[in-house]
Each structure stands twice: as C-alpha cells, then as structure tokens.
Amino acid sequence: MTSPNQTQGTPRPCPLCGADNRARPPGPYSRPPWLVKTCPACAFTYLENPPAYAALEEDFAWEKTSAAEEARRRADRPLAKRLSHAFRRFRQKILKRDKLFSLLRRHIPPGRVLDIGCGGGGVLARLPAGYEPHGVEISRVLAAQADALVRPRGGHVVQASAVDGVAAFAPDSLDGALLSAFLEHEAQPTLLLRGLHRALRAGAPVIIKVPNFASLNRRVRGPNWCGFRFPDHVNYFTPQTLTRLAHDCGFRVAQCTLGDRWPFSDNLWMVLAKPVV
Ligand SMILES: [Zn+2]
C-alpha cells in the first residue's frame, strides 16, 4: 500500500473563495500530514492537501479507507461506547435512508436521476419505478458493480472522477441529482456544481447531504467528531458555506429547514434547484 506521504496532493486554494492560505499555520483539526485550515476570508474549513484523484481510484477507494478508519476508531473505544455507537449507527442508517427517499419523492419527479459517488449502486437500485438510475463513481470495483445493477433499468454508471463523470452527460439532460455523503469528498466542489448545473434541466433539484461542521457534536467532541475522516473528507460545510457555494454555482436553495440543519444532528441536508429562467 502506498503511504499517505507519497500520495498527498499539492496544496489547493480555498475551494469556496479561492484565497491562497498556504502561508497560514495548520488549524487545530489537522492530522499530519493532512492540513485542515479555516479560510480567514470566507470562514470555510477544508483539507488543504487532498490526495490526487489517481490515488482515490485505488489506494484510498472508499471500500478501503472506510474499513481502515472504522478499525482505528474501534481500537480507541471501550465496549460500552462501542455498543452505544453501534445502536446510533443503526438508527442513523434507518433515518438517513428514509430522509433521502422522502426528499427524492417530494422534490424530484420520475425521470433521469444521477447519483454522484454512487458506490456499489445501493441507492440507485432502490429508486422507485419511473426513475432511470444513472451514476458516477471513481472506484473501478464499485462502478462496475453499480453499472451491472442499473443497466436493466436503462441507466448507466460512468467510472470517473465526479467532475469528469458529470461532464459526460449532455446539457439539460438530467431531471435530478443526489449528492448524498459525497460533497465532503470532492476536491473541486465549485467545478462539480457548475458542471452539474449544466447537465440538469431548468428546475431540476439536487439533494445534498454532508456532515454539518456547525453541529454541536463537532463543537463538543472537537478532533474526535465523527465528521473528520482523513484523508477522504476534504470539505467541512456549514449551512452558510454550503449556501454560498450553491449560489456561486447558479443554484437556488429550494429547501433547508431547521430540521435539515438541526444542530444536534451530525448531518446537514439541503435541496438546491437550477432556477427556471
Ligand atoms: Zn475562502
């Protein structure tokens, strides 16, 4: 396995406002060699030196990093905490699934739906009848698995980075998109949302779920907050910074209720829409 030192990327400017913060010292949430910084110009918190895409395809592919991170956390945790954690995870999984599908039914009419970072196709396979499931996934193994699942329903999965994968769809060709637990992984979120804006038809919604950096849990647990994952989480959004990103990329916020940005939850939900002109 390649060591993180060999695959960490070149330092990037602030992905939200473009400020160059390389000369600033690493923030308190950094875990060497990974540098977490909060931009003084726009208050966005991000990993300054994310791994290159080539590394994500194989070395840091989700199915590997999530297993390694889980093992590290388990080793740090006594039994009682592990049991309560297991219960919480189970509860979160149920709620998460329900919420994604209820937002989908409410905002996205049947049609062509793109799941960005679709993994092995778990969500795409469960889309109700009437939806044509499409996906983008960088991991070769998972992309092939998802593609086999969606082909019988007229869909397909592009094996590429999110930015390149979205560019493969024709302008105004999609009826909706899902960015569930994905945008925190994307080193170029502005480029991705602009590309998605191009590929969506006017009025089409995007359902977003990211870890909420403004959550109380992050403030209380600090560096032990579950939203920190090194090196695969590269953006740490708050309702304010996610809204700014959406507006900068031409979207309007169609829904972000108090329940969607509840400070006691680790998650932040937001539904965007491409404005109808
Ligand atoms: Zn900034």
Side-chain angles (χ1 to χ4, degrees), residues 14-19 21 39-44 46 244:
C14 170
L16 187 55
C17 76
N21 296 314
C39 177
C42 72
F44 186 54
Y46 63 100
R244 173 167 171 179

Coordinates of all heavy atoms in Angstrom, one line a residue, residues 14-19 21 39-44 46 244, ligand 1:
C14 N -8.4 28.0 -1.2 CA -9.8 27.8 -0.6 C -10.7 27.4 -1.7 O -10.9 28.1 -2.6 CB -10.2 29.0 0.1 SG -12.0 28.9 0.7
P15 N -11.4 26.2 -1.6 CA -12.3 25.8 -2.6 C -13.6 26.6 -2.8 O -14.3 26.6 -3.7 CB -12.6 24.3 -2.3 CG -12.2 24.2 -0.9 CD -11.3 25.2 -0.5
L16 N -13.8 27.5 -1.7 CA -15.1 28.3 -1.8 C -14.8 29.7 -2.4 O -15.5 30.1 -3.3 CB -15.7 28.4 -0.4 CG -17.0 29.1 -0.3 CD1 -18.0 28.5 -1.3 CD2 -17.6 29.1 1.1
C17 N -13.7 30.4 -1.9 CA -13.5 31.7 -2.4 C -12.2 31.9 -3.2 O -11.9 33.0 -3.7 CB -13.5 32.7 -1.2 SG -12.0 32.7 -0.2
G18 N -11.4 30.9 -3.2 CA -10.1 30.9 -4.0 C -8.9 31.6 -3.3 O -7.9 31.7 -3.9
A19 N -9.1 32.0 -2.0 CA -8.0 32.6 -1.3 C -6.8 31.6 -1.1 O -7.1 30.4 -0.9 CB -8.4 33.1 0.1
N21 N -4.2 30.2 1.2 CA -3.9 30.2 2.6 C -2.7 29.3 2.9 O -2.5 28.9 4.1 CB -5.2 29.6 3.4 CG -6.4 30.6 3.2 OD1 -6.2 31.8 3.4 ND2 -7.5 30.0 2.9
C39 N -10.5 29.2 6.2 CA -10.2 30.4 5.4 C -10.6 31.7 6.2 O -11.8 31.8 6.5 CB -10.9 30.3 4.1 SG -10.6 31.7 3.0
P40 N -9.6 32.6 6.4 CA -10.0 33.8 7.1 C -10.9 34.7 6.2 O -11.6 35.5 6.7 CB -8.6 34.5 7.3 CG -7.7 33.9 6.4 CD -8.2 32.5 6.0
A41 N -10.9 34.5 4.9 CA -11.7 35.4 4.0 C -13.2 35.0 4.0 O -14.1 35.8 4.0 CB -11.1 35.3 2.6
C42 N -13.5 33.6 4.0 CA -14.9 33.2 3.9 C -15.3 32.2 4.9 O -16.5 31.8 4.9 CB -15.1 32.6 2.5 SG -14.3 31.0 2.3
A43 N -14.4 31.9 5.9 CA -14.8 31.0 7.0 C -15.0 29.5 6.7 O -15.5 28.8 7.5 CB -16.0 31.5 7.8
F44 N -14.6 29.2 5.4 CA -14.8 27.8 5.0 C -13.6 26.9 5.6 O -12.5 27.3 5.5 CB -14.8 27.7 3.5 CG -15.2 26.3 3.0 CD1 -16.3 25.6 3.4 CD2 -14.3 25.7 2.1 CE1 -16.6 24.4 3.0 CE2 -14.6 24.4 1.6 CZ -15.8 23.7 2.0
Y46 N -11.4 23.4 5.4 CA -11.2 22.4 4.3 C -9.8 21.8 4.5 O -8.9 22.3 5.2 CB -11.2 23.1 2.9 CG -10.2 24.2 2.7 CD1 -9.0 23.9 2.0 CD2 -10.4 25.5 3.2 CE1 -8.1 24.9 1.8 CE2 -9.5 26.5 3.0 CZ -8.3 26.2 2.3 OH -7.4 27.2 2.1
R244 N -23.5 29.5 0.3 CA -22.7 30.4 -0.6 C -22.2 29.6 -1.8 O -22.3 30.1 -3.0 CB -21.5 30.9 0.2 CG -20.6 31.7 -0.7 CD -19.6 32.5 0.0 NE -18.6 33.0 -1.1 CZ -17.6 33.7 -0.8 NH1 -17.4 34.1 0.4 NH2 -16.8 34.1 -1.8
Ligands
ZN1 ZN -12.2 31.1 1.4

